[in-house]
Amino acid sequence: MKVLVAVKRVVDYNVKVRPKADGTDVDIANVKMSINPFCEIAVEEAVRLKEKGVVSEIIAVSMGPKQSQEQIRTALALGADRGILVETDAELQPLAVAKCLKAIVEKEEPQMVILGKQTIDGDNNQTGQMLGALTGMGQGTFASEVVVAGDTVKVTREIDGGLQTVELKLPAIVTTDLRLNEPRYASLPNIMKAKKKPLDTTTPDELGVDITPRTKTLKVEPPAERQAGVKVADVAELVEKLKNEAKVI
Amino acid sequence: MSILVIAEHDNAELKGATLNTIAAAKAIGSDIAVLVAGAGCAAVADAAAKVDGVNKVLLADNAAYEHQLAENVAQLVADLGKDYGHILAPATTTGKNMLPRAAALLDVQPISDIISVESADTFKRPIYAGNVIATVQSSDAVKVISVRATAFDAVSAEGGSAAVESVDIADDAGVSSFVGEELAKSDRPELTAASVVVSGGRGMQNGENFEMLYKLADKLGAAVGASRAAVDAGFVPNDMQVGQTGKIVAPDLYIAVGISGAIQHLAGMKDSKVIVAINKDEEAPIFSVADYGLVADLFEAVPEFEAKL
């Protein structure tokens, strides 16, 4: 079966992002960009399903500026077969992303769409669920295990109280949590091979999707800073401070 | 315009995060309805009717909603919610699973994880693991919002006397079914609601060593959490993870043991009132947010700490 995997270009998780001085946006000029870690887990899961013989073709889709090609190439180097870039320099909100993905799903007819549960820039945790609504597919969000059996998939989900397992009819949506797998490193030969894999480019217009933002960011600011406190010499002093100064025990 | 709050519950009890979400609703307006969707959940509806500030409770009691399957509940929320100005749910795994699906059915761009209400259409929310706070204004007709419970003081569970109305809608999308659940059983307080949290990180070295933290927690009446490193290493289960993509906690006292303090972890606990860090590496970033830092070997310090309580 065919699987679609969504990958997003985001600020690398090691970068501590700061607002611009004028508070209009975050300052991401000249910072390192990477594939969103949850999207990388999504690619890895698709590749493992292919290695098990469950999946026959993996399509990696990204949306955003031209440079998002780099993240598609990363997915191709990890084992995806071909890529699609929905190119735009405009702001893309999760609803618009879900609509673009829906248009691609209608064209490609994958049996499964695997996405990260959230991106580490916007921290929205929305796109997979919204794609589920728009396509009518079932959703297995925050997945820690994915087992395909016939025309269904069992997804074990990380929930607040522990783990929950649901069964979904295929085609279905899966969004990845951290424990689903540990992504491999792309080997140099695979990175070279990825450069020759097909990568098509389209646009939201060509897909017939209106990406007009529905929300407007009025301001960005740093959070209230926490001041470092004091170092205590030993456990006795710690207990004394917690009792008499902080009065929390 | 009125506000629809989606109750968090397990068919038996109304969960505390609902009370924080109703607090956020009260900051938006005063006409508040609560939807209790589940199966055999009439007691939850009765509890919701008593909550301070609630004007009406909608009870959708049907087998299709028993396990909060997003495909079914989102359809119900969209059907009912289209006539409201705002739809709010707690930013728990249940809320995060269901709410965006309902929003897309309404052609709405939801706003996740708000930490303050600036006006009826403008909200603050953390982005980039809480390193940036964005003020976001929605132009959608219905505002669909998930609420970070720790950012709003819970309303009282008593004092209200709302009427309970039954809703006769049974949305079974027929694409998903519940298979099973493994829920952590613990006599300790729930992580997100505890007033004291003791968390362990990679420095704990293995799962057995967490026993030390459980003992300390039991002396303090605390919940036990963990960093991503400890969960990934298999020391403890996923439901204990505190951080950007795990649970957000803001207790009166947070004790970080053997946790270095990656920004992703800090995102989940830095709003705690008092933070204690115990770590043998005095350069560990956790000390930059700790009110009280103890540079020590945790295997000596934790048992001594417990003994002195």
Side-chain angles (χ1 to χ4, degrees):
Chain A
M1 68 181 194
K2 203 193 259 188
V3 168
L4 200 73
V5 180
V7 296
K8 187 178 180 188
R9 175 183 176 87
V10 298
V11 173
D12 188 83
Y13 78 101
N14 281 311
V15 176
K16 188 171 177 182
V17 171
R18 288 190 170 78
K20 286 180 183 166
D22 65 2
T24 53
D25 203 349
V26 289
D27 189 0
I28 57 168
N30 305 315
V31 304
K32 186 184 175 199
M33 304 295 283
S34 296
I35 184 170
N36 177 50
F38 289 94
C39 301
E40 199 174 8
I41 295 171
V43 175
E44 175 68 28
E45 194 62 17
V47 173
R48 290 188 188 191
L49 288 170
K50 192 177 177 191
E51 286 167 348
K52 282 183 197 156
V54 176
V55 165
S56 52
E57 187 186 24
I58 302 167
I59 308 163
V61 183
S62 192
M63 289 167 212
K66 196 176 189 66
Q67 297 89 319
S68 301
Q69 282 186 2
E70 293 165 20
Q71 281 62 46
I72 296 178
R73 291 290 173 201
T74 303
L76 297 174
L78 292 170
D81 297 292
R82 61 187 169 96
I84 301 173
L85 171 63
V86 182
E87 192 178 329
T88 176
D89 289 324
E91 181 190 354
L92 278 172
Q93 296 185 339
L95 180 63
V97 172
K99 287 179 177 177
C100 290
L101 283 172
K102 183 199 176 214
I104 293 170
V105 164
E106 282 173 351
K107 200 165 143 222
E108 298 285 348
E109 300 185 331
Q111 285 298 97
M112 205 188 301
V113 185
I114 313 181
L115 311 89
K117 76 166 181 180
Q118 73 190 67
T119 56
I120 59 167
D121 49 3
D123 280 337
N124 281 303
N125 193 336
Q126 297 171 347
T127 303
Q129 295 89 314
M130 290 203 281
L131 180 61
L134 299 177
T135 59
M137 291 184 203
Q139 65 186 53
T141 54
F142 328 145
S144 67
E145 195 184 1
V146 174
V147 181
V148 178
D151 58 356
T152 63
V153 57
K154 269 196 187 128
V155 181
T156 301
R157 312 177 49 234
E158 295 197 0
I159 60 169
D160 287 337
L163 297 170
Q164 179 192 66
T165 304
V166 293
E167 187 173 72
L168 311 170
K169 284 187 184 158
L170 294 175
I173 312 274
V174 171
T175 78
T176 63
D177 216 318
L178 292 168
R179 261 68 62 177
L180 182 58
N181 60 52
E182 207 169 311
R184 69 196 65 193
Y185 289 97
S187 67
L188 191 57
N190 284 344
I191 292 170
M192 301 310 289
K193 258 192 259 171
K195 291 183 178 163
K196 297 202 180 82
K197 289 184 179 174
L199 198 172
D200 293 330
T201 299
T202 181
T203 63
D205 259 358
E206 282 176 15
L207 294 173
V209 175
D210 176 5
I211 59 166
T212 310
R214 304 294 189 83
T215 67
K216 192 170 153 194
T217 299
L218 303 180
K219 184 171 73 171
V220 296
E221 59 196 317
E225 277 298 321
R226 236 191 136 93
Q227 300 298 323
V230 296
K231 291 261 170 59
V232 292
D234 51 29
V235 172
E237 189 188 350
L238 175 63
V239 172
E240 189 274 323
K241 295 256 191 213
L242 290 178
K243 273 189 179 151
N244 301 321
E245 191 176 273
K247 296 185 168 64
V248 285
I249 59 172
Chain B
M1 286 291 274
S2 40
I3 303 162
L4 181 65
V5 172
I6 316 303
E8 173 104 359
H9 66 92
D10 59 3
N11 294 319
E13 278 178 24
L14 185 69
K15 298 290 182 188
T18 313
L19 302 179
N20 307 88
T21 305
I22 293 169
K26 283 178 84 169
I28 297 168
S30 58
D31 187 5
I32 299 170
V34 174
L35 169 65
V36 176
C41 54
V44 179
D46 290 341
K50 293 196 186 83
V51 174
D52 179 39
V54 174
N55 305 99
K56 183 165 76 171
V57 174
L58 302 173
L59 170 61
D61 195 334
N62 189 284
Y65 309 130
E66 182 177 0
H67 299 289
Q68 303 296 324
L69 290 172
E71 298 80 2
N72 302 349
V73 178
Q75 187 63 56
L76 172 71
V77 168
D79 288 345
L80 294 172
K82 63 181 190 303
D83 301 324
Y84 287 81
H86 297 77
I87 304 173
L88 273 63
T92 55
T93 49
T94 310
K96 289 191 257 191
N97 186 39
M98 181 279 294
L99 201 65
R101 192 169 177 117
L105 292 172
L106 294 168
D107 194 31
V108 165
Q109 170 58 53
I111 300 178
S112 293
D113 220 11
I114 64 160
I115 56 169
S116 84
V117 173
E118 302 296 300
S119 72
D121 67 0
T122 304
F123 310 90
K124 287 193 179 185
R125 61 177 301 266
I127 56 175
Y128 289 95
N131 283 313
V132 178
I133 305 298
T135 304
V136 179
Q137 185 176 42
S138 167
S139 59
D140 283 312
V142 182
K143 277 63 169 164
V144 180
I145 295 160
S146 69
V147 175
R148 177 175 290 199
T150 54
F152 295 87
D153 291 330
V155 297
S156 169
E158 302 293 330
S161 57
V164 178
E165 281 175 28
S166 279
V167 175
D168 193 20
I169 306 176
D171 286 308
D172 188 347
V175 293
S176 59
S177 58
F178 173 82
V179 177
E181 249 168 11
E182 283 173 54
L183 299 182
K185 287 195 183 69
S186 171
D187 297 332
R188 295 186 190 92
E190 194 200 336
L191 196 48
T192 53
S195 58
V196 182
V197 172
V198 179
S199 279
R202 198 195 302 273
M204 296 306 295
Q205 295 181 1
N206 58 47
E208 291 75 57
N209 288 336
F210 264 76
E211 275 307 316
M212 274 192 315
L213 301 189
Y214 297 134
K215 279 190 196 162
L216 176 62
D218 289 343
K219 278 264 178 92
L220 291 162
V224 179
S227 69
R228 177 190 169 184
V231 178
D232 282 0
F235 300 171
V236 291
N238 65 280
D239 54 270
M240 289 170 62
Q241 186 184 331
V242 172
Q244 178 188 16
T245 66
K247 288 188 176 138
I248 309 291
V249 302
D252 294 335
L253 173 61
Y254 188 90
I255 303 173
V257 181
I259 291 177
S260 61
I263 53 174
Q264 290 81 6
H265 184 74
L266 301 185
M269 46 65 78
K270 68 181 174 187
D271 292 328
S272 305
K273 289 200 182 71
V274 175
I275 297 174
V276 169
I278 302 175
N279 201 304
K280 68 179 175 193
D281 173 12
E282 64 178 315
E283 302 296 320
I286 190 78
F287 287 120
S288 70
V289 299
D291 299 285
Y292 301 108
L294 175 60
V295 180
D297 181 347
L298 68 93
F299 295 102
E300 288 166 19
V302 172
E304 190 188 342
F305 190 5
E306 188 223 322
K308 283 197 158 60
L309 290 171

PDB file of all heavy atoms in Angstrom, chain B residues 241-271:
ATOM      1  N   GLN B 241       5.876  11.739  31.706  1.00  0.00           N
ATOM      2  CA  GLN B 241       6.750  12.740  31.090  1.00  0.00           C
ATOM      3  C   GLN B 241       6.249  14.167  31.262  1.00  0.00           C
ATOM      4  O   GLN B 241       5.124  14.488  30.923  1.00  0.00           O
ATOM      5  CB  GLN B 241       6.924  12.461  29.594  1.00  0.00           C
ATOM      6  CG  GLN B 241       7.947  13.409  28.956  1.00  0.00           C
ATOM      7  CD  GLN B 241       8.056  13.213  27.456  1.00  0.00           C
ATOM      8  OE1 GLN B 241       7.829  12.127  26.944  1.00  0.00           O
ATOM      9  NE2 GLN B 241       8.403  14.281  26.761  1.00  0.00           N
ATOM     10  N   VAL B 242       7.130  15.006  31.766  1.00  0.00           N
ATOM     11  CA  VAL B 242       6.852  16.435  31.910  1.00  0.00           C
ATOM     12  C   VAL B 242       7.658  17.173  30.845  1.00  0.00           C
ATOM     13  O   VAL B 242       8.857  16.945  30.712  1.00  0.00           O
ATOM     14  CB  VAL B 242       7.269  16.928  33.313  1.00  0.00           C
ATOM     15  CG1 VAL B 242       7.178  18.444  33.405  1.00  0.00           C
ATOM     16  CG2 VAL B 242       6.409  16.278  34.388  1.00  0.00           C
ATOM     17  N   GLY B 243       7.015  18.039  30.075  1.00  0.00           N
ATOM     18  CA  GLY B 243       7.763  18.805  29.094  1.00  0.00           C
ATOM     19  C   GLY B 243       6.917  19.318  27.964  1.00  0.00           C
ATOM     20  O   GLY B 243       5.694  19.175  27.974  1.00  0.00           O
ATOM     21  N   GLN B 244       7.579  19.891  26.968  1.00  0.00           N
ATOM     22  CA  GLN B 244       6.915  20.526  25.819  1.00  0.00           C
ATOM     23  C   GLN B 244       5.865  19.622  25.205  1.00  0.00           C
ATOM     24  O   GLN B 244       4.774  20.057  24.873  1.00  0.00           O
ATOM     25  CB  GLN B 244       7.983  20.871  24.761  1.00  0.00           C
ATOM     26  CG  GLN B 244       7.427  21.502  23.488  1.00  0.00           C
ATOM     27  CD  GLN B 244       8.487  21.642  22.405  1.00  0.00           C
ATOM     28  OE1 GLN B 244       9.548  21.030  22.470  1.00  0.00           O
ATOM     29  NE2 GLN B 244       8.207  22.470  21.419  1.00  0.00           N
ATOM     30  N   THR B 245       6.190  18.353  25.031  1.00  0.00           N
ATOM     31  CA  THR B 245       5.258  17.454  24.367  1.00  0.00           C
ATOM     32  C   THR B 245       4.670  16.438  25.339  1.00  0.00           C
ATOM     33  O   THR B 245       3.978  15.520  24.950  1.00  0.00           O
ATOM     34  CB  THR B 245       5.940  16.709  23.210  1.00  0.00           C
ATOM     35  OG1 THR B 245       6.928  15.842  23.753  1.00  0.00           O
ATOM     36  CG2 THR B 245       6.580  17.666  22.253  1.00  0.00           C
ATOM     37  N   GLY B 246       4.972  16.589  26.619  1.00  0.00           N
ATOM     38  CA  GLY B 246       4.389  15.714  27.625  1.00  0.00           C
ATOM     39  C   GLY B 246       3.381  16.508  28.442  1.00  0.00           C
ATOM     40  O   GLY B 246       2.579  17.247  27.900  1.00  0.00           O
ATOM     41  N   LYS B 247       3.455  16.352  29.765  1.00  0.00           N
ATOM     42  CA  LYS B 247       2.498  17.073  30.596  1.00  0.00           C
ATOM     43  C   LYS B 247       3.063  18.417  31.037  1.00  0.00           C
ATOM     44  O   LYS B 247       4.260  18.561  31.236  1.00  0.00           O
ATOM     45  CB  LYS B 247       2.156  16.233  31.820  1.00  0.00           C
ATOM     46  CG  LYS B 247       1.289  15.061  31.417  1.00  0.00           C
ATOM     47  CD  LYS B 247       0.755  14.300  32.589  1.00  0.00           C
ATOM     48  CE  LYS B 247      -0.161  13.221  32.056  1.00  0.00           C
ATOM     49  NZ  LYS B 247      -0.008  11.965  32.712  1.00  0.00           N
ATOM     50  N   ILE B 248       2.161  19.381  31.183  1.00  0.00           N
ATOM     51  CA  ILE B 248       2.542  20.694  31.686  1.00  0.00           C
ATOM     52  C   ILE B 248       2.122  20.736  33.152  1.00  0.00           C
ATOM     53  O   ILE B 248       0.961  20.501  33.468  1.00  0.00           O
ATOM     54  CB  ILE B 248       1.813  21.815  30.911  1.00  0.00           C
ATOM     55  CG1 ILE B 248       1.972  21.640  29.393  1.00  0.00           C
ATOM     56  CG2 ILE B 248       2.271  23.184  31.381  1.00  0.00           C
ATOM     57  CD1 ILE B 248       3.342  21.860  28.856  1.00  0.00           C
ATOM     58  N   VAL B 249       3.055  21.019  34.041  1.00  0.00           N
ATOM     59  CA  VAL B 249       2.722  21.076  35.455  1.00  0.00           C
ATOM     60  C   VAL B 249       3.125  22.431  36.028  1.00  0.00           C
ATOM     61  O   VAL B 249       4.053  23.073  35.532  1.00  0.00           O
ATOM     62  CB  VAL B 249       3.410  19.940  36.258  1.00  0.00           C
ATOM     63  CG1 VAL B 249       3.011  18.571  35.711  1.00  0.00           C
ATOM     64  CG2 VAL B 249       4.919  20.089  36.263  1.00  0.00           C
ATOM     65  N   ALA B 250       2.435  22.856  37.050  1.00  0.00           N
ATOM     66  CA  ALA B 250       2.786  24.104  37.722  1.00  0.00           C
ATOM     67  C   ALA B 250       2.472  23.968  39.211  1.00  0.00           C
ATOM     68  O   ALA B 250       1.632  24.689  39.748  1.00  0.00           O
ATOM     69  CB  ALA B 250       2.032  25.276  37.108  1.00  0.00           C
ATOM     70  N   PRO B 251       3.127  23.041  39.904  1.00  0.00           N
ATOM     71  CA  PRO B 251       2.823  22.839  41.324  1.00  0.00           C
ATOM     72  C   PRO B 251       3.432  23.940  42.197  1.00  0.00           C
ATOM     73  O   PRO B 251       4.203  24.766  41.710  1.00  0.00           O
ATOM     74  CB  PRO B 251       3.499  21.499  41.620  1.00  0.00           C
ATOM     75  CG  PRO B 251       4.655  21.458  40.668  1.00  0.00           C
ATOM     76  CD  PRO B 251       4.190  22.164  39.422  1.00  0.00           C
ATOM     77  N   ASP B 252       3.098  23.906  43.488  1.00  0.00           N
ATOM     78  CA  ASP B 252       3.721  24.838  44.429  1.00  0.00           C
ATOM     79  C   ASP B 252       5.202  24.523  44.587  1.00  0.00           C
ATOM     80  O   ASP B 252       6.013  25.413  44.820  1.00  0.00           O
ATOM     81  CB  ASP B 252       3.037  24.732  45.805  1.00  0.00           C
ATOM     82  CG  ASP B 252       1.592  25.202  45.738  1.00  0.00           C
ATOM     83  OD1 ASP B 252       1.277  26.011  44.836  1.00  0.00           O
ATOM     84  OD2 ASP B 252       0.780  24.742  46.557  1.00  0.00           O
ATOM     85  N   LEU B 253       5.534  23.239  44.495  1.00  0.00           N
ATOM     86  CA  LEU B 253       6.939  22.829  44.663  1.00  0.00           C
ATOM     87  C   LEU B 253       7.275  21.756  43.635  1.00  0.00           C
ATOM     88  O   LEU B 253       6.586  20.730  43.543  1.00  0.00           O
ATOM     89  CB  LEU B 253       7.143  22.277  46.084  1.00  0.00           C
ATOM     90  CG  LEU B 253       8.509  21.643  46.378  1.00  0.00           C
ATOM     91  CD1 LEU B 253       9.641  22.646  46.208  1.00  0.00           C
ATOM     92  CD2 LEU B 253       8.533  21.071  47.809  1.00  0.00           C
ATOM     93  N   TYR B 254       8.319  22.017  42.853  1.00  0.00           N
ATOM     94  CA  TYR B 254       8.789  21.055  41.847  1.00  0.00           C
ATOM     95  C   TYR B 254      10.226  20.683  42.181  1.00  0.00           C
ATOM     96  O   TYR B 254      11.086  21.559  42.287  1.00  0.00           O
ATOM     97  CB  TYR B 254       8.721  21.677  40.447  1.00  0.00           C
ATOM     98  CG  TYR B 254       9.015  20.692  39.323  1.00  0.00           C
ATOM     99  CD1 TYR B 254       7.997  19.946  38.732  1.00  0.00           C
ATOM    100  CD2 TYR B 254      10.319  20.510  38.850  1.00  0.00           C
ATOM    101  CE1 TYR B 254       8.245  19.054  37.708  1.00  0.00           C
ATOM    102  CE2 TYR B 254      10.586  19.606  37.822  1.00  0.00           C
ATOM    103  CZ  TYR B 254       9.546  18.884  37.246  1.00  0.00           C
ATOM    104  OH  TYR B 254       9.810  17.996  36.239  1.00  0.00           O
ATOM    105  N   ILE B 255      10.467  19.415  42.384  1.00  0.00           N
ATOM    106  CA  ILE B 255      11.812  18.964  42.756  1.00  0.00           C
ATOM    107  C   ILE B 255      12.378  18.145  41.601  1.00  0.00           C
ATOM    108  O   ILE B 255      11.896  17.049  41.296  1.00  0.00           O
ATOM    109  CB  ILE B 255      11.769  18.121  44.051  1.00  0.00           C
ATOM    110  CG1 ILE B 255      11.129  18.943  45.182  1.00  0.00           C
ATOM    111  CG2 ILE B 255      13.177  17.662  44.436  1.00  0.00           C
ATOM    112  CD1 ILE B 255      10.885  18.153  46.468  1.00  0.00           C
ATOM    113  N   ALA B 256      13.391  18.699  40.923  1.00  0.00           N
ATOM    114  CA  ALA B 256      13.992  18.048  39.756  1.00  0.00           C
ATOM    115  C   ALA B 256      15.252  17.318  40.202  1.00  0.00           C
ATOM    116  O   ALA B 256      16.193  17.931  40.703  1.00  0.00           O
ATOM    117  CB  ALA B 256      14.339  19.089  38.697  1.00  0.00           C
ATOM    118  N   VAL B 257      15.246  16.010  40.036  1.00  0.00           N
ATOM    119  CA  VAL B 257      16.358  15.196  40.522  1.00  0.00           C
ATOM    120  C   VAL B 257      17.072  14.531  39.342  1.00  0.00           C
ATOM    121  O   VAL B 257      16.450  13.783  38.583  1.00  0.00           O
ATOM    122  CB  VAL B 257      15.841  14.100  41.485  1.00  0.00           C
ATOM    123  CG1 VAL B 257      17.001  13.270  42.021  1.00  0.00           C
ATOM    124  CG2 VAL B 257      15.052  14.713  42.631  1.00  0.00           C
ATOM    125  N   GLY B 258      18.342  14.847  39.178  1.00  0.00           N
ATOM    126  CA  GLY B 258      19.103  14.232  38.089  1.00  0.00           C
ATOM    127  C   GLY B 258      18.581  14.622  36.720  1.00  0.00           C
ATOM    128  O   GLY B 258      18.677  13.850  35.772  1.00  0.00           O
ATOM    129  N   ILE B 259      18.035  15.829  36.639  1.00  0.00           N
ATOM    130  CA  ILE B 259      17.519  16.358  35.365  1.00  0.00           C
ATOM    131  C   ILE B 259      18.404  17.524  34.956  1.00  0.00           C
ATOM    132  O   ILE B 259      18.605  18.452  35.733  1.00  0.00           O
ATOM    133  CB  ILE B 259      16.053  16.829  35.532  1.00  0.00           C
ATOM    134  CG1 ILE B 259      15.135  15.626  35.751  1.00  0.00           C
ATOM    135  CG2 ILE B 259      15.606  17.644  34.317  1.00  0.00           C
ATOM    136  CD1 ILE B 259      13.681  15.983  36.010  1.00  0.00           C
ATOM    137  N   SER B 260      18.928  17.478  33.726  1.00  0.00           N
ATOM    138  CA  SER B 260      19.858  18.534  33.305  1.00  0.00           C
ATOM    139  C   SER B 260      19.108  19.828  33.015  1.00  0.00           C
ATOM    140  O   SER B 260      19.608  20.912  33.271  1.00  0.00           O
ATOM    141  CB  SER B 260      20.645  18.089  32.081  1.00  0.00           C
ATOM    142  OG  SER B 260      19.761  17.843  31.013  1.00  0.00           O
ATOM    143  N   GLY B 261      17.887  19.707  32.442  1.00  0.00           N
ATOM    144  CA  GLY B 261      17.098  20.912  32.204  1.00  0.00           C
ATOM    145  C   GLY B 261      17.112  21.385  30.760  1.00  0.00           C
ATOM    146  O   GLY B 261      17.296  22.569  30.483  1.00  0.00           O
ATOM    147  N   ALA B 262      16.883  20.467  29.818  1.00  0.00           N
ATOM    148  CA  ALA B 262      16.730  20.844  28.412  1.00  0.00           C
ATOM    149  C   ALA B 262      15.533  21.784  28.285  1.00  0.00           C
ATOM    150  O   ALA B 262      14.596  21.696  29.079  1.00  0.00           O
ATOM    151  CB  ALA B 262      16.493  19.597  27.560  1.00  0.00           C
ATOM    152  N   ILE B 263      15.568  22.685  27.277  1.00  0.00           N
ATOM    153  CA  ILE B 263      14.469  23.653  27.152  1.00  0.00           C
ATOM    154  C   ILE B 263      13.126  22.955  27.009  1.00  0.00           C
ATOM    155  O   ILE B 263      12.113  23.456  27.467  1.00  0.00           O
ATOM    156  CB  ILE B 263      14.670  24.661  25.973  1.00  0.00           C
ATOM    157  CG1 ILE B 263      14.949  23.960  24.656  1.00  0.00           C
ATOM    158  CG2 ILE B 263      15.731  25.664  26.290  1.00  0.00           C
ATOM    159  CD1 ILE B 263      15.010  24.912  23.458  1.00  0.00           C
ATOM    160  N   GLN B 264      13.141  21.755  26.398  1.00  0.00           N
ATOM    161  CA  GLN B 264      11.879  21.032  26.226  1.00  0.00           C
ATOM    162  C   GLN B 264      11.315  20.591  27.578  1.00  0.00           C
ATOM    163  O   GLN B 264      10.110  20.503  27.757  1.00  0.00           O
ATOM    164  CB  GLN B 264      12.081  19.805  25.330  1.00  0.00           C
ATOM    165  CG  GLN B 264      12.350  20.135  23.865  1.00  0.00           C
ATOM    166  CD  GLN B 264      13.796  20.513  23.562  1.00  0.00           C
ATOM    167  OE1 GLN B 264      14.662  20.435  24.440  1.00  0.00           O
ATOM    168  NE2 GLN B 264      14.063  20.926  22.339  1.00  0.00           N
ATOM    169  N   HIS B 265      12.190  20.297  28.547  1.00  0.00           N
ATOM    170  CA  HIS B 265      11.710  19.943  29.889  1.00  0.00           C
ATOM    171  C   HIS B 265      11.253  21.202  30.636  1.00  0.00           C
ATOM    172  O   HIS B 265      10.193  21.203  31.256  1.00  0.00           O
ATOM    173  CB  HIS B 265      12.783  19.207  30.684  1.00  0.00           C
ATOM    174  CG  HIS B 265      12.278  18.738  32.024  1.00  0.00           C
ATOM    175  ND1 HIS B 265      11.424  17.664  32.147  1.00  0.00           N
ATOM    176  CD2 HIS B 265      12.439  19.228  33.271  1.00  0.00           C
ATOM    177  CE1 HIS B 265      11.098  17.504  33.424  1.00  0.00           C
ATOM    178  NE2 HIS B 265      11.697  18.440  34.121  1.00  0.00           N
ATOM    179  N   LEU B 266      12.056  22.252  30.537  1.00  0.00           N
ATOM    180  CA  LEU B 266      11.703  23.496  31.234  1.00  0.00           C
ATOM    181  C   LEU B 266      10.322  23.987  30.792  1.00  0.00           C
ATOM    182  O   LEU B 266       9.558  24.533  31.584  1.00  0.00           O
ATOM    183  CB  LEU B 266      12.752  24.585  30.956  1.00  0.00           C
ATOM    184  CG  LEU B 266      14.199  24.256  31.366  1.00  0.00           C
ATOM    185  CD1 LEU B 266      15.085  25.469  31.152  1.00  0.00           C
ATOM    186  CD2 LEU B 266      14.284  23.789  32.815  1.00  0.00           C
ATOM    187  N   ALA B 267       9.986  23.762  29.513  1.00  0.00           N
ATOM    188  CA  ALA B 267       8.688  24.201  28.985  1.00  0.00           C
ATOM    189  C   ALA B 267       7.532  23.595  29.763  1.00  0.00           C
ATOM    190  O   ALA B 267       6.452  24.163  29.808  1.00  0.00           O
ATOM    191  CB  ALA B 267       8.564  23.825  27.511  1.00  0.00           C
ATOM    192  N   GLY B 268       7.774  22.438  30.393  1.00  0.00           N
ATOM    193  CA  GLY B 268       6.686  21.753  31.079  1.00  0.00           C
ATOM    194  C   GLY B 268       6.589  22.051  32.558  1.00  0.00           C
ATOM    195  O   GLY B 268       5.634  21.619  33.203  1.00  0.00           O
ATOM    196  N   MET B 269       7.575  22.784  33.126  1.00  0.00           N
ATOM    197  CA  MET B 269       7.559  22.952  34.580  1.00  0.00           C
ATOM    198  C   MET B 269       7.993  24.330  35.085  1.00  0.00           C
ATOM    199  O   MET B 269       7.958  24.590  36.274  1.00  0.00           O
ATOM    200  CB  MET B 269       8.408  21.872  35.261  1.00  0.00           C
ATOM    201  CG  MET B 269       9.789  21.588  34.672  1.00  0.00           C
ATOM    202  SD  MET B 269      10.990  22.931  34.756  1.00  0.00           S
ATOM    203  CE  MET B 269      11.515  22.821  36.457  1.00  0.00           C
ATOM    204  N   LYS B 270       8.364  25.232  34.175  1.00  0.00           N
ATOM    205  CA  LYS B 270       8.981  26.467  34.673  1.00  0.00           C
ATOM    206  C   LYS B 270       7.990  27.432  35.301  1.00  0.00           C
ATOM    207  O   LYS B 270       8.392  28.429  35.881  1.00  0.00           O
ATOM    208  CB  LYS B 270       9.812  27.141  33.582  1.00  0.00           C
ATOM    209  CG  LYS B 270       9.037  27.700  32.442  1.00  0.00           C
ATOM    210  CD  LYS B 270       9.996  28.311  31.420  1.00  0.00           C
ATOM    211  CE  LYS B 270       9.204  28.732  30.209  1.00  0.00           C
ATOM    212  NZ  LYS B 270      10.039  29.187  29.115  1.00  0.00           N
ATOM    213  N   ASP B 271       6.690  27.142  35.203  1.00  0.00           N
ATOM    214  CA  ASP B 271       5.719  27.985  35.895  1.00  0.00           C
ATOM    215  C   ASP B 271       5.413  27.479  37.305  1.00  0.00           C
ATOM    216  O   ASP B 271       4.517  27.992  37.973  1.00  0.00           O
ATOM    217  CB  ASP B 271       4.430  28.088  35.075  1.00  0.00           C
ATOM    218  CG  ASP B 271       4.651  28.870  33.784  1.00  0.00           C
ATOM    219  OD1 ASP B 271       5.501  29.784  33.810  1.00  0.00           O
ATOM    220  OD2 ASP B 271       4.012  28.564  32.772  1.00  0.00           O
TER     221      ASP B 271
END
